[in-house]
Structure formats: C-alpha cells, structure tokens
Amino acid sequence: MSEGESEGELEYMDVDRKLVDRIAKDSVVWSCFHGLVVADKSYQASGFYPGIGLAHAPFALLPARFPEKEWREASDLAPIINHLVHRVSSDATFLHESFSKSKKLDEFTSRLLDIHSKMLQINKKEEIQLGLHRSDYLLDEKTKSLFLVELKTISSPFAGLSSLVTQLHRYILSRYGKLLGLDSERIPANGALDQYAEALAKAWSEYNNPRAVIMIVVLAEEQNMYDQYLVSTVLNDRYPFLICYNTYNITTIRKTLAEVDQQGEILPDGTLSVDGEAVSVIYFRAGCTPVDYPSESEWRARLLMERSCAVKCPSISYHLVGSKRIQQELAKPGVLERFLENKDDIVKLRKCFAGLWSLDDSDIVEKAIESPKLFMMKPLRKEGGKNIYGYDVRETLLRWQKRKTIEDAAYFLMQRIFPTISSTVFMDHGLWIKERASSELGIFSTYLRNKDKVIINKQSGYLMRTIGSTLSYGEPVPWGFPMLDSVYLTDEPNNT
Amino acid sequence: MSEGESEGELEYMDVDRKLVDRIAKDSVVWSCFHGLVVADKSYQASGFYPGIGLAHAPFALLPARFPEKEWREASDLAPIINHLVHRVSSDATFLHESFSKSKKLDEFTSRLLDIHSKMLQINKKEEIQLGLHRSDYLLDEKTKSLFLVELKTISSPFAGLSSLVTQLHRYILSRYGKLLGLDSERIPANGALDQYAEALAKAWSEYNNPRAVIMIVVLAEEQNMYDQYLVSTVLNDRYPFLICYNTYNITTIRKTLAEVDQQGEILPDGTLSVDGEAVSVIYFRAGCTPVDYPSESEWRARLLMERSCAVKCPSISYHLVGSKRIQQELAKPGVLERFLENKDDIVKLRKCFAGLWSLDDSDIVEKAIESPKLFMMKPLRKEGGKNIYGYDVRETLLRWQKRKTIEDAAYFLMQRIFPTISSTVFMDHGLWIKERASSELGIFSTYLRNKDKVIINKQSGYLMRTIGSTLSYGEPVPWGFPMLDSVYLTDEPNNT
C-alpha cells in the first residue's frame, strides 16, 4: 500500500518491504475487527456520535524495546504511588500550603482548590476512594535511569486501546515472529482494560446499590471515544475478546459536565441522580483541563458531584495531587518522608523523580539560562503549549525576564532527559512510514479503598507511546503526535 | 442521539424513544467493536485502503418477522439449487442454445460465452467445482407465496456482515428482549461467514498444495471490503468471535483483475502463479459486471484464470448459469426436468419461480402494456438501472415500442410481487430513523465437488435485507438502499 520514506536501516525491522506491506495491511484489518479505532478528526461529526468516521488508531507496527529491569522497576512503583496519592490527598494542609507557595495561582487550580475548601468546610468524607492513575516514565539514555515525568490522577486515557495494541503486537509476532526474529512471549501481558473495568465494577459493588449506574463524564466531542466505550463495553459484559476475563452487567451512562448540571440533583440521602438514574461511580474522562469548563455550568456540575455521595474517580483531592505543583513539592528533600513510612519505597521513588522546578524559583531559572541543555520547559497542562528544548529554553527565559512576565507563564522547568532514539515503523491512516522515534512508558495503576480497607492496590497494565524525533542542535527533539505502542522486553540495560 | 421522523406506530417496536436511543447507540458501538463496518463513500479513499473512513454498516435495529414455514422452504431449496446450477453448468449445449435465443446478446455475456467456448475447444475440465451461491426470495403478501427473484452464482456478497448482523440482533434481544417482548431464540443461527470460509478452505484442501494461497479477486475501490476481509480473516484464523468454529491457517491474497493480468502466469503444470505465489482457489468478489472490465487487460486476466488449473469460484460456466437469460429458460415448462430427476424437488422449485420474461417475447410485452400492475421491469444487471413499477411499465414499453429500441433495452419483465410492508427502524450513519419497509430474504449456499464426489452441498446461512418503501399509485415501491437485517421467525403465514 504505502512505501516508507526514510532511507535509514530498519534495525530489528530490517526486513523486506513486501513483508512490511503485508504485516501493515494485516494489522490494520486486525484493528478494524477488534475496535482498535479512533474517531478521525478529518471526518466531520466523527467525534460526536459513535459509528461514523472511524479510523484505525495510529500505532507502531512492532513493539518498542525496553529493558526488563527498568520495566519491573516502573511496575513495582505503581502500588507505592497509589498509596502516596491517597496519603497526600488526605493531607489538606499540605495541599493548600503547596499551592499557596505559587506567587500567582492559575485560575483553574484556584477553582479546584475552592471546591476542595468547600468540602473541608462541610466536613465531607469520601469513604470509598477510587484511583485510576497513570505514571509516565522516560528512560534516559545517558544515565540509563528511569524518570517519572508525569502522574495522571484524572482521566488517564488509553487503558482500552493500549490493551488492544498489546494484543495486536502479540498477534503480529505469533504470525511473523519467526521471519522477524522476535518472540511474542517477550511482550508483557497488558491487563489495563480488564483491570480498569474491574476497579470500576468493584467500586460500584462497594457503593452497594444494584440499580445504580456508572456515569462516565465525557466531552461533547471526543475523538478518543472508543477507548472509553471499550471500558463501558466490558462493564456491560459485551467485549468478546479473550483479554477480558471478568464479566459484569453494569449499566453505564455518558454525560457531559453541562448535562450533569442540567439533569443532576442530589437526593435527600446524598445520592447523585442524573436524568432520573442513581449514580454509584463517576468516572471522569473530561473535566481535567480548563477548556473543559467553558461556563459556570460545568463548575456547578463539578461541585454538585463532589457534594454527592457517589464515588468520584477521582475526588477533588485526588485530582489536585496530580498537579505539577504537588509533584514539585514532593520532589523536595524530606517531603516524601511525610507520607511514606517504608524507607525502601522512598528510595525507589525518589530515584525516579526527575528534577521539576517552578519558574518562581529564580536560582533554577538562572541555572537554566546558563546551561539550557540540562533543562526543558514544559507547560503545566498538556494544552498549554509545546515543550521547549535546548537554546530555546535560554532565549524564552531571557525574553520573559525582560518583559517581567515570567510569573504568568504556565510553564515549569524539568531536568532534561534524553530517551533512546531508534528506528520504528508508524501506521497512520492506513499507511506505513519509517521514522526515528523515542518512547514513553505509562504504567496504569488501580487503587480502591473503603474507609480503612484497601481493596485494590496494584499495577494494572501499561501504555507505551512512541513519538517521532528529529535532531535539533545535535539533540533529539520529539515532534508529531505519539503512536500507541507496546513493550518488547530486552535483557540489555538499554536499546543498543 | 437522533430522533425518528415518521409519526406512525412502531408496531412491535412500539417502545419509548429513550429506549430506542439506548438500543441504537448500544448496537452502533457493538458494530464498531465487531467489524460490522463498511468503508464510508463520503470519505475519500476509504474504499482503497482498509483502516480509514469506516462507518458502521447500515442495518435494521431489530430483526424482520418472517414466517417459519417459508423460511424452511427457502432453506430446503438451497441444496436443490446447488445441484441444479452444477447440472446446468455441465450442459454446454443448453447454455449456448439459451443465449442464442436472444435476438441481440449483450457484449458482456458474449465475452463470457467466448471464454466458455474456448474452454470447450481445448476440452478444459474443471475437476474441483466450488459454488458460493445466493438465492434471493420475496414473500408475496397477496398469495402468501415465496418467489425466487434472483440467483447469484458469482461474488454473492454479505456472508460476513450478515452473520454479524444476526449476532448483533441476538445480542440486542438477549439484552432488551424482555422490554421488547421478543425472544432471541427466534432468530435462526446464521453460519454464512463460517461456512463460506469452510467451503473455500475445503476447496483449498482438495487442491492439495499446502503452499498455495487463496486469491480474492477484488476491485481497486471497494466500499464493502470488510465483508471480504471477514472471510479472509477467518481463513487466516484470526476472527475472534464465537460465530466461527473452524480454524484454518490459509494465506489469502487480494488482486484486481488488472493485477492478475500483470502479475499472473500459468506454469507448465497448469498452476496459476500470481506475483510468484501459487493460487489454489480463485474467489471472485469482482468480475461479475461489465464495469469491472474497463479494458482488455481484465478480460485477459479472466481468460488466464479460466485456463489455469486453480479452482474457480465460480468457473465461467457457473457464472453463466446465474444470468437472467438462463433463469428465464429454466422457468419454461419441461426445462427443469432436463436437469433434475427428483419430482418433488422439481415441484418445490417450480412453485418458487417467479414469472420472468425477455422483452423479446412480444406476447408478454403486450400483456404488460395491458395490465402493467401485474408486472415489473428489472434491469438485467444491478448496475443497469432502476426497477420500473406500475403504470411506468406501460409508458416505458409503449415509448420503446414507438422508438423500436425494445430489443436493445437491458431489461426483462418479471411477475409483480408485493412483499409485506411494515414499520422498522433503520440505523444509518449513527442515527436511527423509523420507516415503512419491506424485506428480501437471501439464502446462501455452498457446493463443492471433486470429480464425481460431492463434498459439500448445503444451505449456509442467510442475508435479510430490508428496504424503505413508499406508496405509488396506491402500491408499495421500494426506495433508497437496503439495510442489513436478520430473520425473526413467526408462526403466522405472514407479518400480520
């Protein structure tokens, strides 16, 4: 169908073009028959209704190599991070103090904090707490170290599609592995979809109202809706593939924040009722970013849900723990000790903390202007702008210092990490293309507790994302958008 | 999501709008996760590559009622028709005489006959014969009789998608049947996909070259490619659903007629080799209509394949038996007796023959002008134009008589059949709409023989298609394009 463009070697995919064509077409057809799909932006209205304008999800044709030792390290951190999130979320003083250190707090976080304060005022207790988190790691090629670069405590997308990509890669290797010299057994199982559904179902069960539904809070337009529908499909007991072992019969409904505002009410006993249906669990797949709240209606909905006795995934305090500001605080000396007792856990976790600094910190800003190659600038939230690398860091900081706008910038500084760059084949819009790329490993985790009883606390599958990378000032800089990928475990310390 | 437009009653779907919304969305999501999809014409290039511009296949939300007695009648005819096709195909004299009766034969059939004659000249024998046929029936409301209105011996699409629609309807009724007062057990099993794949696999096995592939002859652009990919996916042992019980590991390749011309050759031992691969079975999903042969290249390919020792599905003689001309001959008194021995079979089959007449037949043309309501005019091939009904039959025939163009018209006359019209809900492009509609039942059948040994001869699933109908001169006339549907068996003689 298509031809690769780059002329470099395919490395471990150094196979003939005809075979790549065959694997590519085979894997695209597999995707269409297994729900590994997204709503295609170029097709109008595809994000509004299921069933129109579908395309296979963009993915890497073969799994990305990743050293087994670091893979286990990241997986082992999942329950520790789950525990940490819960402990931090319970420390209201720490949360408010951390945010109060910002000279100027962005409006979005302020409003989340307002809701949090209101809940403190009314002494609201969350007995059942459900966390579906994702910790994202980069493997630094120079130091061979694993760095935690992001912690998502709300929405955490791709549990569904990433499980399917793993299945796809296992299928490809079971079929073409001999020709490619690859072993499908080296791809670790990915139970993300199964375990996300399991955690939601168990939370529903703890809530203990058999007639209540699970409500997924969604955007009106969502290109990634099939990832969400995979979860609800498993909850409704419909997904036919063997990757899901559990069966449920739980009704899910999808509502936007505005619909929750219009149709929602809190009954006298605290039950959240939306459009006449009692809601047991609220699963946020929207509401994580300022653009999700275009009017007061959405904020009213958020407050309403928080006031109700439905299980929130996440609660407002879990949501706040995922903010960059908290990660910066946690990275400071002595802070982890406030929340974790186990010394080993603290050592393991701290080892993975990438340096994160607020732009309020003038010492670090000076250091970054001096040695920009050791830093990168990241927006506080995904939609806030692009990452800034290399000499652009110096130029941007100098420009902002001059204009004295630095306090307003919704950016922070992060220690620069250099992931391994290797050749890969991307599948996008039915065509394959060979690229230089680097990968980021996301570890899903699930956490459920009812009062003092921890019901679930575990690693729950993974998301590998591989992104095209070019050289800028002799250093790799990612571009484009990430392709779904999975992990091919290797014995080497790194991709060599 | 959408609202129905018609205000008439929903008959056995007389349920509330909110429930229809829920079933509709549920079924569309099911479709996306099970491969019940087509390439959406409105999305450029969607018909050229898999994986882009997909939409759920258009379908009826609930299965169409059909009386069990007539359902069994149609199913029981399948092996008789298979046998008839084979017998007629073996009678070269009958074939050529039948076509020679046409005053002017269309060019397409002439060229097929040319190939057939060439094969007779070289005394080509087809030892392994594979038929994947589909017989289409209408149930006449007035006479309560079943009429065979079409026999397809080439391409016979929708074995894949129709199997999925049956699964979908069973799923819907298992989930909502109680609310709807419907029983999923009343939907007969549909093994079309499974059995088409089985027949192809057994033909491959009879050919007895484990390294040979099955070649699917396709169009360069094909909106219905997923229906085809379902068959190849089962052959490759990849379709994960429980509707397919057999597993194979047969490689399939897809080639256009032009590609077969460019890449194909016949090896000294008679093997067809295409792009270096030995072909065991040729499965035509293109080549059934004149537009599939835009140049001499396609005709060269067809001749090349016919000359080879690959199993053709269908051979040129099987293909010819499916033409309207042969059906007209078979409907004449005494003709069936030439091919079938069993008197009961002949009675059963003749009972279902709708009157079919060539426009050469001036007596019938006069009768049709006199009583146009008893006839309809159908194009000889699907792409030849629209059906003509009622007084338009008289006007058209009179106009053609005047212009003396009647002999050139690629139409034939058929006894008018009045199928039952009932309310239905169509799902199209993610939206539901309530319509008046009528249904046509297609019975798939498979037939495989090697020399004198009949290996397979059976009914193999079904295709129900339901089409919107409006009243014209007080009589129902179909419009739009058919929706995939399945059968809901009833005890009544007809839909009352």
Side-chain angles (χ1 to χ4, degrees):
Chain A
M1 44 202 304
S2 143
E3 301 210 347
E5 282 180 4
S6 142
E7 288 306 316
E9 55 156 4
L10 259 171
E11 288 183 7
Y12 79 112
M13 243 211 89
D14 193 8
V15 289
D16 71 276
R17 208 161 274 271
K18 207 168 154 184
L19 179 60
V20 178
D21 275 346
R22 183 170 279 191
I23 301 173
K25 178 121 26 144
D26 207 1
S27 61
V28 164
V29 170
W30 190 100
S31 304
C32 297
F33 289 155
H34 289 75
L36 180 49
V37 290
V38 292
D40 187 340
K41 256 188 190 165
S42 66
Y43 189 98
Q44 221 191 349
S46 69
F48 289 98
Y49 306 109
I52 55 171
L54 283 79
H56 73 87
F59 58 85
L61 194 57
L62 294 179
R65 293 184 162 230
F66 201 88
E68 185 161 5
K69 188 177 148 278
E70 282 72 17
W71 152 258
R72 296 209 178 280
E73 215 172 292
S75 298
D76 291 347
L77 283 177
I80 304 171
I81 290 174
N82 281 345
H83 182 58
L84 176 68
V85 169
H86 182 76
R87 296 296 291 272
V88 174
S89 81
S90 313
D91 190 335
T93 315
F94 175 77
L95 284 179
H96 283 263
E97 275 178 7
S98 298
F99 288 109
S100 69
K101 286 182 191 165
S102 289
K103 286 185 191 150
K104 195 172 173 182
L105 202 61
D106 65 293
E107 203 205 322
F108 178 66
T109 312
S110 289
R111 297 215 58 165
L112 294 178
L113 276 170
D114 283 349
I115 297 176
H116 189 254
S117 300
K118 277 182 186 141
M119 294 307 109
L120 288 175
Q121 279 161 24
I122 62 170
N123 199 26
K124 178 86 171 67
K125 297 278 174 241
E126 297 295 331
E127 294 187 342
I128 307 169
Q129 286 268 32
L130 174 62
L132 299 177
H133 309 314
R134 204 184 74 212
S135 320
D136 292 339
Y137 297 89
L138 283 177
L139 189 61
D140 186 61
E141 196 180 23
K142 298 190 179 172
T143 61
K144 311 290 182 206
S145 310
L146 196 66
F147 285 105
L148 177 67
V149 293
E150 183 151 13
L151 169 59
K152 280 189 83 68
T153 57
I154 182 166
S155 183
S156 310
F158 296 117
L161 295 186
S162 73
S163 298
L164 289 180
V165 171
T166 300
Q167 285 296 106
L168 169 63
H169 282 157
R170 285 182 155 197
Y171 159 70
I172 292 174
L173 295 204
S174 71
R175 198 163 172 81
Y176 301 101
K178 272 192 188 169
L179 289 168
L180 298 165
L182 295 172
D183 175 9
S184 69
E185 297 292 312
R186 305 292 299 168
I187 302 174
N190 191 351
L193 173 58
D194 205 20
Q195 288 172 43
Y196 261 43
E198 185 195 26
L200 286 159
K202 285 201 172 160
W204 175 87
S205 175
E206 288 296 314
Y207 185 85
N208 201 20
N209 174 359
R211 297 169 71 182
V213 302
I214 293 179
M215 177 171 75
I216 309 179
V217 176
V218 296
L219 298 175
E221 182 176 13
E222 176 61 80
Q223 309 303 134
N224 198 23
M225 67 170 85
Y226 300 99
D227 181 55
Q228 302 168 353
Y229 278 120
L230 283 167
V231 177
S232 48
T233 290
V234 175
L235 287 170
N236 298 349
D237 188 19
R238 275 181 293 151
Y239 194 70
F241 305 115
L242 294 175
I243 52 170
C244 291
Y245 302 101
N246 299 304
T247 56
Y248 315 100
N249 190 17
I250 303 172
T251 302
T252 56
I253 59 172
R254 293 167 65 85
K255 296 288 173 186
T256 63
L257 286 168
E259 285 168 338
V260 172
D261 181 43
Q262 287 150 27
Q263 304 166 10
E265 57 172 333
I266 297 180
L267 305 182
D269 68 349
T271 301
L272 176 67
S273 167
V274 178
D275 199 20
E277 300 198 84
V279 174
S280 58
V281 182
I282 306 162
Y283 174 31
F284 285 92
R285 291 299 297 257
C288 22
T289 162
V291 292
D292 295 355
Y293 299 79
S295 74
E296 282 305 306
S297 170
E298 288 77 15
W299 284 113
R300 272 198 306 272
R302 187 72 195 262
L303 180 61
L304 181 86
M305 292 186 278
E306 199 64 26
R307 280 175 44 227
S308 81
C309 67
V311 181
K312 295 106 203 156
C313 178
S315 63
I316 202 86
S317 56
Y318 270 44
H319 185 172
L320 283 167
V321 175
S323 88
K324 289 289 184 314
R325 182 74 227 147
I326 297 298
Q327 287 169 56
Q328 287 161 18
E329 283 303 303
L330 291 173
K332 288 183 180 169
V335 179
L336 278 183
E337 283 76 0
R338 181 167 171 174
F339 303 105
L340 300 175
E341 290 82 26
N342 187 311
K343 295 270 179 291
D344 280 355
D345 289 354
I346 294 171
V347 171
K348 276 188 213 163
L349 197 54
R350 176 155 297 132
K351 196 179 146 221
C352 288
F353 276 3
L356 293 182
W357 304 272
S358 157
L359 291 184
D360 294 345
D361 187 334
S362 55
D363 288 353
I364 285 292
V365 168
E366 284 308 322
K367 221 170 181 173
I369 290 170
E370 220 168 89
S371 314
K373 285 179 148 196
L374 300 177
F375 297 87
M376 62 181 284
M377 290 172 68
K378 286 190 86 164
L380 279 168
R381 273 176 300 278
K382 278 262 151 102
E383 75 290 354
K386 288 183 175 174
N387 292 345
I388 301 169
Y389 299 92
Y391 291 105
D392 293 341
V393 169
R394 174 184 291 167
E395 276 174 39
T396 308
L397 290 175
L398 284 173
R399 199 166 60 241
W400 287 354
Q401 275 193 333
K402 221 171 174 177
R403 291 195 202 149
K404 300 191 177 173
T405 58
I406 201 156
E407 289 171 34
D408 291 320
Y411 270 82
F412 64 97
L413 275 165
M414 192 177 93
Q415 165 192 354
R416 182 77 191 272
I417 299 157
F418 296 94
T420 303
I421 308 292
S422 53
S423 276
T424 190
V425 172
F426 286 155
M427 287 302 311
D428 195 13
H429 281 84
L431 305 175
W432 66 265
I433 185 168
K434 209 162 60 170
E435 292 290 356
R436 309 292 294 171
S438 63
S439 298
E440 183 172 317
L441 174 67
I443 298 287
F444 291 109
S445 62
T446 52
Y447 185 81
L448 176 65
R449 69 184 290 152
N450 193 345
K451 293 179 199 160
D452 287 337
K453 193 178 148 208
V454 177
I455 298 158
I456 303 175
N457 181 16
K458 62 180 176 184
Q459 189 261 27
S460 298
Y462 61 90
L463 164 71
M464 196 73 163
R465 279 177 304 176
T466 296
I467 188 162
S469 295
T470 45
L471 290 181
S472 166
Y473 303 109
E475 284 165 7
V477 167
W479 61 269
F481 63 96
M483 302 277 148
L484 296 170
D485 205 341
S486 62
V487 169
Y488 190 85
L489 294 178
T490 62
D491 298 329
E492 314 99 83
N494 212 325
N495 198 2
T496 48
Chain B
M1 43 201 305
S2 144
E3 302 209 348
E5 281 179 3
S6 145
E7 287 307 312
E9 56 157 5
L10 260 169
E11 287 184 6
Y12 79 110
M13 244 211 88
D14 192 8
V15 289
D16 71 275
R17 209 161 272 272
K18 207 168 151 185
L19 179 61
V20 178
D21 275 346
R22 184 171 279 192
I23 301 174
K25 178 115 34 138
D26 207 2
S27 62
V28 164
V29 170
W30 190 99
S31 304
C32 297
F33 289 154
H34 290 75
L36 179 49
V37 290
V38 293
D40 187 342
K41 256 188 190 163
S42 65
Y43 189 100
Q44 220 192 351
S46 68
F48 289 98
Y49 306 109
I52 54 170
L54 284 80
H56 74 86
F59 58 85
L61 194 57
L62 294 178
R65 292 184 160 231
F66 201 89
E68 185 161 4
K69 187 176 150 279
E70 282 73 16
W71 154 257
R72 295 211 179 280
E73 216 174 289
S75 298
D76 291 348
L77 284 176
I80 304 172
I81 291 174
N82 281 345
H83 181 58
L84 176 68
V85 169
H86 182 76
R87 295 297 290 271
V88 173
S89 81
S90 314
D91 191 334
T93 315
F94 174 77
L95 283 179
H96 282 263
E97 275 178 8
S98 298
F99 288 108
S100 69
K101 286 179 190 166
S102 289
K103 285 184 191 152
K104 197 173 173 184
L105 201 59
D106 65 293
E107 205 206 321
F108 178 66
T109 311
S110 289
R111 297 217 56 168
L112 294 178
L113 276 170
D114 283 350
I115 295 176
H116 190 252
S117 301
K118 277 183 186 142
M119 294 307 108
L120 289 174
Q121 281 161 23
I122 62 170
N123 199 27
K124 180 83 171 66
K125 296 278 175 240
E126 297 296 330
E127 294 188 341
I128 307 169
Q129 286 269 31
L130 173 63
L132 299 178
H133 310 314
R134 204 185 73 212
S135 319
D136 292 338
Y137 297 89
L138 282 177
L139 189 61
D140 186 60
E141 195 179 23
K142 298 189 178 172
T143 61
K144 311 287 180 209
S145 310
L146 196 66
F147 285 106
L148 177 67
V149 292
E150 181 150 16
L151 170 59
K152 280 190 83 70
T153 57
I154 182 167
S155 183
S156 309
F158 295 117
L161 295 186
S162 74
S163 299
L164 288 181
V165 171
T166 300
Q167 284 297 105
L168 169 62
H169 282 157
R170 286 182 154 200
Y171 158 69
I172 291 174
L173 295 203
S174 71
R175 197 165 172 79
Y176 302 100
K178 273 192 185 167
L179 289 167
L180 298 164
L182 296 171
D183 174 9
S184 69
E185 297 292 312
R186 306 292 299 169
I187 303 173
N190 191 350
L193 174 58
D194 205 19
Q195 288 171 44
Y196 261 42
E198 184 195 26
L200 286 160
K202 283 200 172 159
W204 175 87
S205 174
E206 288 296 315
Y207 186 86
N208 201 19
N209 174 359
R211 297 170 70 181
V213 301
I214 293 179
M215 178 171 74
I216 308 178
V217 176
V218 295
L219 298 175
E221 183 175 12
E222 175 62 82
Q223 308 303 134
N224 198 24
M225 68 170 83
Y226 301 99
D227 181 56
Q228 301 168 352
Y229 277 120
L230 282 167
V231 177
S232 48
T233 290
V234 175
L235 287 169
N236 297 349
D237 187 20
R238 275 180 294 149
Y239 195 67
F241 306 115
L242 294 175
I243 51 172
C244 292
Y245 302 101
N246 299 303
T247 56
Y248 314 101
N249 190 16
I250 302 171
T251 301
T252 57
I253 59 172
R254 294 167 65 86
K255 295 288 172 186
T256 63
L257 286 167
E259 285 168 339
V260 172
D261 181 44
Q262 288 149 26
Q263 303 165 11
E265 57 172 333
I266 296 180
L267 304 183
D269 67 351
T271 301
L272 175 65
S273 166
V274 177
D275 198 20
E277 301 198 84
V279 174
S280 58
V281 182
I282 305 163
Y283 174 32
F284 284 92
R285 290 299 297 257
C288 20
T289 164
V291 292
D292 295 355
Y293 299 80
S295 74
E296 282 305 307
S297 170
E298 288 78 14
W299 284 113
R300 273 197 305 271
R302 185 72 193 261
L303 180 61
L304 181 86
M305 291 185 280
E306 199 64 27
R307 280 174 45 228
S308 80
C309 67
V311 181
K312 295 107 203 154
C313 178
S315 65
I316 202 86
S317 56
Y318 271 43
H319 185 173
L320 282 167
V321 174
S323 88
K324 289 290 183 313
R325 183 74 228 147
I326 297 299
Q327 286 168 57
Q328 288 161 19
E329 283 303 302
L330 290 174
K332 288 182 180 169
V335 178
L336 278 182
E337 284 76 359
R338 182 165 170 178
F339 303 106
L340 300 174
E341 290 80 27
N342 186 310
K343 294 273 180 289
D344 279 355
D345 289 354
I346 294 171
V347 171
K348 277 188 212 163
L349 197 54
R350 177 155 295 131
K351 196 179 146 222
C352 289
F353 275 4
L356 292 183
W357 304 274
S358 157
L359 292 185
D360 295 344
D361 187 333
S362 54
D363 287 354
I364 284 290
V365 168
E366 285 307 323
K367 219 172 183 172
I369 289 169
E370 220 168 88
S371 314
K373 285 180 148 198
L374 300 177
F375 297 87
M376 62 182 284
M377 290 172 66
K378 286 190 87 165
L380 279 167
R381 272 178 301 278
K382 279 262 150 111
E383 74 291 354
K386 288 182 177 177
N387 292 344
I388 301 169
Y389 299 93
Y391 291 105
D392 292 341
V393 169
R394 174 184 289 166
E395 275 175 41
T396 308
L397 289 174
L398 285 172
R399 198 166 62 240
W400 287 356
Q401 275 192 331
K402 220 170 176 179
R403 291 195 202 150
K404 302 194 172 169
T405 56
I406 201 154
E407 289 172 34
D408 291 321
Y411 270 82
F412 65 97
L413 275 165
M414 192 176 92
Q415 166 191 353
R416 182 75 192 272
I417 299 157
F418 296 95
T420 303
I421 307 292
S422 54
S423 276
T424 191
V425 172
F426 285 156
M427 287 303 311
D428 195 13
H429 282 83
L431 304 174
W432 65 267
I433 187 167
K434 210 162 61 170
E435 292 289 357
R436 310 290 296 168
S438 63
S439 299
E440 185 172 316
L441 174 68
I443 297 287
F444 292 109
S445 62
T446 52
Y447 186 81
L448 176 66
R449 68 185 289 152
N450 192 346
K451 294 178 197 160
D452 288 337
K453 192 177 148 209
V454 177
I455 298 158
I456 303 176
N457 182 16
K458 61 180 177 187
Q459 189 261 25
S460 299
Y462 62 90
L463 166 70
M464 195 74 162
R465 279 176 304 176
T466 296
I467 188 163
S469 294
T470 44
L471 290 180
S472 167
Y473 303 109
E475 283 168 4
V477 168
W479 60 269
F481 63 96
M483 302 277 148
L484 296 171
D485 205 342
S486 62
V487 169
Y488 190 85
L489 294 178
T490 63
D491 298 330
E492 314 98 84
N494 213 323
N495 198 0
T496 48

